[in-house]
Amino acid sequence: MITSETVIAEVLRKGDLLAAACPSRQILQHITSRWGILILIVLQSKTMRFSELRRVINGVSERMLAQTLQCLEGDGLINRVAFDVVPPHVEYSLTPLGLEAAEKVQVLVSWIESNLPRILAHQHQSGSAG
């Protein structure tokens, strides 16, 4: 007999983005948010401090950067290491899971960058920029 608990357990075992109650939707939102994608891409190359990340990712506010880092850390994608020094020193890096996610996101980023002229031409042609 299939019960609602069985169905929920199966959904949570693998994840189902199309199911409204599946927690994978929240994780998808964290990863694919404007700042989430950029953080993953930047941290692919090296460990960085908060101030370095803020300089490299143009336009992100301190609040949004901190909030996005916290979400990605909560999802197990980012390591946060705080050193007991004055002034405080905190470094961020990708976990193995975060590196996997960054590699997937990099494919999309590369596709967008490669196809930007075609996309912009279409937007200009249809009058729907932005």
Side-chain angles (χ1 to χ4, degrees):
M1 180 170 150
I2 297 176
T3 65
S4 60
E5 289 82 18
T6 306
V7 172
I8 292 170
E10 182 59 23
V11 165
L12 292 179
R13 185 183 65 74
K14 184 170 184 236
D16 180 2
L17 283 172
L18 299 180
C22 186
S24 62
R25 284 191 180 188
Q26 189 66 40
I27 298 163
L28 178 69
Q29 199 281 321
H30 295 160
I31 291 172
T32 61
S33 70
R34 176 190 326 182
W35 308 121
I37 286 176
L38 297 176
I39 289 168
L40 291 172
I41 295 301
V42 169
L43 289 178
Q44 244 184 320
S45 59
K46 67 178 191 170
T47 297
M48 296 183 123
R49 293 177 69 174
F50 186 90
S51 57
E52 288 179 285
L53 281 166
R54 188 142 183 248
R55 270 193 307 276
V56 172
I57 302 173
N58 293 314
V60 66
S61 70
E62 189 171 314
R63 179 178 170 265
M64 283 308 301
L65 180 58
Q67 191 173 57
T68 306
L69 286 166
Q70 188 175 34
C71 287
L72 294 173
E73 181 186 8
D75 293 338
L77 303 176
I78 289 184
N79 280 322
R80 180 185 183 275
V81 178
F83 297 91
D84 191 19
V85 294
V86 177
H89 180 106
V90 179
E91 292 183 343
Y92 297 92
S93 62
L94 295 180
T95 64
L97 193 60
L99 188 55
E100 285 181 48
E103 289 168 356
K104 304 298 184 195
V105 167
Q106 183 63 57
V107 172
L108 176 60
V109 168
S110 296
W111 181 87
I112 291 169
E113 290 175 341
S114 296
N115 288 285
L116 186 60
R118 291 171 50 202
I119 296 167
L120 292 176
H122 181 77
Q123 286 177 349
H124 177 73
Q125 186 178 40
S126 65
S128 64

